Amino acid sequence: MNVARELNFLHRYYFQLKYPSSSPKTSLPKTQILATMNTHQKLERRELGNTGLNLSCVGFGASPLGNVFGDVSEEQSIATVIEAFNQGINFFDTSPYYGATLSEKVLGKCLKALGASRDEYIVATKCGRYAEGFDFSAERVTKSIDESLERLQLEYVDILQCHDIEFGSLDQIVNETIPALQKIKESGKTRFIGITGLPLEVYTYVLDRVPPGTIDVVLSYCHYCINDSTLEDMLPYFKSKGVGVINASPLSMGLHTENGPPEWHPASSEIKAACKAAADYCKKNGKNISKLALQYSLSNKDISTTLVGMNSVKQVEENVGAALELETAGKDEKTFAEIENILKPIKNQSWPSGIQQT
């Protein structure tokens, strides 16, 4: 029995015990399940900066639990989170912005249903960006963590991140928001604090203006993908600051999928065309562009974890399977070389995000 099938049986057995009336049945003997628990391959874990946290190399992006990409039932959400945990994923990331707080609420229910010890999983949420807009004031972010903890049904989160800081005044972030987050950290409602955003320059602006050790984590997205690896140049800088790095959106918000990105995707027509050509090449040659894109992001071990949005057991199995394949068999160098050649004309091109900073 292969790893993915064994893990699927594990999930089914566990879910059957917790939800006997609705869960899929499995005939796998309990003795075989227990043996599998002790032998199946584990996801790699990596240290997150100076936090002491060890994150699974694949992180669980919980925005889909907020119905951001289509309706997901509560039962399906619970099954997905349990599957992720059983397959070795210990890092779950959400935000009050995702699904207008629904992602946090559903993730909270899922973690409750999981029934694991609190120290067995790591939870990150965000503040400053909400369905009604941006508010990086000290008053709002201080209130925000209490609201998030209630929705998540937790006494604390492991990481509280200021969400998409390029949409606010960076001076306000430095002088008002981050001091407020430090007070939240001192209160014990979060263990660590971080910042997120698309333009990489926002990180240097903030980190160069706060005392060393103030910021524990940065979350960057769409900058360590097959088409854009500019985050790599920043890694020595982050290390010098003692800051852990979380990567998100390895598929570059849908560019690296067979179906292509959503209509609202902000990339230029040239970027979209090149990424489509790469996806078409993979499909023609029996390769999965999404799996390869994830493996590309996972291959840099200086990045602690790569967040992937998931809303089904199948997606969990595919993402974990891609990580385990990379660990055991390595990268498909020939296919990667062909993809990178196709993407060369638009390599490291991005798109604008945020407000004009003064």
Side-chain angles (χ1 to χ4, degrees):
M1 185 178 289
N2 63 31
V3 171
R5 185 177 293 274
E6 287 175 343
L7 290 170
N8 185 44
F9 272 119
L10 278 177
H11 156 74
R12 287 185 177 186
Y13 180 76
Y14 182 83
F15 198 65
Q16 183 180 327
L17 290 179
K18 292 187 74 68
Y19 305 97
S21 62
S22 59
S23 59
K25 305 298 181 183
T26 177
S27 58
L28 192 68
K30 183 177 180 181
T31 53
Q32 187 176 344
I33 291 169
L34 293 175
T36 301
M37 286 180 176
N38 294 324
T39 60
H40 75 75
Q41 189 179 356
K42 296 286 188 181
L43 271 181
E44 178 190 5
R45 298 205 173 172
R46 302 174 185 174
E47 292 184 6
L48 181 63
N50 294 333
T51 65
L53 298 175
N54 288 289
L55 276 56
S56 52
C57 61
V58 176
F60 189 104
S63 65
L65 303 187
N67 294 339
V68 174
F69 304 105
D71 291 344
V72 184
S73 70
E74 186 174 305
E75 182 182 81
Q76 182 177 331
S77 296
I78 291 171
T80 304
V81 168
I82 289 175
E83 178 77 355
F85 184 79
N86 285 343
Q87 292 213 27
I89 294 175
N90 73 337
F91 179 49
F92 299 85
D93 176 86
T94 184
S95 168
Y97 175 63
Y98 302 150
T101 74
L102 183 60
S103 173
E104 285 188 327
K105 292 173 184 174
V106 173
L107 181 60
K109 291 179 181 178
C110 292
L111 294 174
K112 192 92 168 177
L114 179 63
S117 173
R118 179 63 183 85
D119 61 2
E120 292 186 89
Y121 55 85
I122 296 162
V123 177
T125 194
K126 306 178 183 75
C127 62
R129 184 170 194 176
Y130 311 96
E132 59 271 21
F134 293 91
D135 188 342
F136 296 108
S137 67
E139 180 181 6
R140 183 67 186 97
V141 300
T142 302
K143 182 181 178 184
S144 185
I145 183 60
D146 291 328
E147 296 168 345
S148 290
L149 292 177
E150 183 177 355
R151 287 189 287 263
L152 288 163
Q153 303 182 58
L154 297 175
E155 293 183 0
Y156 67 92
V157 293
D158 298 279
I159 306 169
L160 177 62
Q161 303 156 111
C162 194
H163 196 176
D164 290 343
I165 60 174
E166 71 267 29
F167 287 93
S169 161
L170 295 183
D171 289 327
Q172 182 189 25
I173 301 295
V174 169
N175 298 316
E176 181 179 352
T177 316
I178 289 174
L181 296 188
Q182 286 181 288
K183 290 181 180 179
I184 293 170
K185 181 178 178 179
E186 291 166 2
S187 75
K189 293 176 183 178
T190 186
R191 298 171 66 193
F192 304 102
I193 62 174
I195 52 178
T196 85
L198 179 69
L200 294 175
E201 59 267 22
V202 301
Y203 297 119
T204 52
Y205 187 96
V206 171
L207 289 171
D208 287 345
R209 288 167 173 78
V210 298
T214 300
I215 300 295
D216 303 298
V217 181
V218 297
L219 188 161
S220 171
Y221 69 99
C222 292
H223 284 306
Y224 201 83
C225 311
I226 301 178
N227 63 301
D228 183 342
S229 58
T230 47
L231 177 63
E232 188 168 24
D233 294 336
M234 297 282 293
L235 295 178
Y237 170 81
F238 290 132
K239 189 171 184 178
S240 73
K241 295 287 187 178
V243 173
V245 179
I246 297 169
N247 178 45
S249 197
L251 309 188
S252 201
M253 301 195 306
L255 286 173
H256 302 308
T257 61
E258 289 187 359
N259 293 331
E263 289 186 11
W264 51 259
H265 198 291
S268 68
S269 57
E270 290 80 11
I271 293 175
K272 290 178 181 177
C275 291
K276 183 181 186 304
D280 290 345
Y281 169 83
C282 288
K283 187 174 183 179
K284 181 180 177 181
N285 289 274
K287 306 292 183 178
N288 185 310
I289 184 65
S290 297
K291 182 179 82 169
L292 292 169
L294 175 57
Q295 289 179 331
Y296 180 90
S297 294
L298 292 172
S299 63
N300 192 323
K301 295 181 183 288
D302 289 329
I303 295 172
S304 299
T305 188
T306 292
L307 285 166
V308 190
M310 305 183 221
N311 62 12
S312 70
V313 167
K314 181 182 179 183
Q315 288 180 356
V316 172
E317 291 173 340
E318 290 173 347
N319 292 327
V320 172
L324 297 180
E325 179 183 283
L326 177 67
E327 194 68 20
T328 56
K331 290 166 65 177
D332 182 347
E333 298 292 354
K334 181 179 181 298
T335 303
F336 273 108
E338 292 291 344
I339 294 172
E340 290 183 326
N341 186 55
I342 293 170
L343 296 175
K344 189 174 181 180
I346 54 92
K347 182 70 173 180
N348 292 339
Q349 292 183 21
S350 188
W351 47 85
S353 177
I355 62 173
Q356 184 69 38
Q357 301 291 331
T358 57

